[in-house]
Amino acid sequence: MTDLIGLHGIGLEVQRPVRTRILQPLSLTVEVGTSLAVVGPSGAGKSTLASIIGALQPASEGSYDFDGQRVELFGPRDRSRFRAANIGFVFQHALLIDERNAWRNVALGQVDPAVPPARVEERSREALDRVGLGGIADRGAALLSGGERQRVAVARAVVKQPRLIIADEPTGSLDQRTGEAVLDLLFSLPDSGTTLIIVTHDHRAADMADRCIEIVDGELVA
Ligand SMILES: Nc1ncnc2c1ncn2[C@@H]1O[C@H](COP(=O)(O)OP(=O)(O)O)[C@@H](O)[C@H]1O
Ligand SMILES: [Mg+2]
């Protein structure tokens, strides 16, 4: 199997307001088309690791290889280009624009300006079909339930067919049953070659993942 991600000695120390070590240097590989769960107590550094892998912020040390690209060498502009091309995000809150309907929210994830508007709408509606929401594509986001909103967020993350999906506590605000539907959806992605990294407190999610790592006090412990 090919690695999508190779982290070597990746860590984070911030200098402001005081010098603080957030993440001890860690090494980790993630194979293409697999799922990885990241678990650990609150404040351990899970979201920080996810944000470094998602190129939302740079590490302060170490090297980060993503399919042959040296992400640690990227400046802010290259990082944002890299994110747009390769990574879809799902967070605890769906962060939809309530004034727009479902498909127009999904369309926000289709960031490639070369895709013509008619194709953007078509792809957005297809992505909603895949998350089981084809019937409510034209419904205003404000009218959707919590579980529907999170499925729209998943559709928005996958519409550009990214190599990697990073989901940071995606079921954190959902009840058990709607949470399960969102997990089933996310864990179906690796079948189509998309790699999944999920930060979670949810035992079910950790059980569903191909691999599970634990972060405690900024350190990879298992
Ligand atoms: N840029 C930063 N500057 C200072 N502290 C930070 C920064 N980023 C994260 N932290 C701190 O690092 C710790 C880990 O945060 P986080 O990764 O969000 O934990 P988790 O997601 O495991 O709950 C927290 O104490 C947080 O306040
Ligand atoms: Mg977090």
Side-chain angles (χ1 to χ4, degrees), residues 40-48 50 92 168-169 199-201:
S42 188
K46 305 181 299 296
S47 294
T48 302
Q92 180 171 350
D168 192 345
E169 311 218 19
V199 175
T200 185
H201 278 117

Side-chain angles (χ1 to χ4, degrees), residues 55-194:
L56 289 166
Q57 68 169 328
S60 55
E61 71 229 286
S63 68
Y64 173 8
D65 181 293
F66 184 103
D67 193 27
Q69 300 180 76
R70 295 285 300 278
V71 179
E72 83 279 7
L73 302 178
F74 291 168
R77 190 185 289 249
D78 283 338
R79 270 201 303 278
S80 89
R81 228 178 263 144
F82 166 78
R83 278 197 307 274
N86 296 292
I87 303 177
F89 294 91
V90 180
F91 296 103
Q92 180 171 350
H93 300 285
L95 309 170
L96 304 184
I97 298 181
D98 279 340
E99 292 73 22
R100 297 196 186 175
N101 65 25
W103 82 256
R104 286 186 187 278
N105 269 281
V106 174
L108 296 171
Q110 179 64 70
V111 285
D112 182 351
V115 181
R119 188 77 188 103
V120 169
E121 176 171 353
E122 191 182 6
R123 282 191 185 169
S124 302
R125 290 181 182 278
E126 282 165 7
L128 282 170
D129 273 337
R130 287 201 295 277
V131 303
L133 294 181
I136 59 146
D138 296 291
R139 191 172 300 171
L143 301 175
L144 303 179
S145 72
E148 287 168 343
R149 290 173 70 83
Q150 196 60 316
R151 278 149 72 198
V152 172
V154 173
R156 183 184 55 197
V158 300
V159 68
K160 67 182 177 190
Q161 299 188 295
R163 311 281 314 277
L164 174 67
I165 293 283
I166 296 181
D168 192 345
E169 311 218 19
T171 60
S173 333
L174 301 178
D175 61 47
Q176 168 118 358
R177 217 171 52 105
T178 44
E180 260 160 32
V182 168
L183 288 180
D184 285 341
L185 201 56
L186 287 170
F187 279 97
S188 70
L189 295 171
D191 295 336
S192 53
T194 306

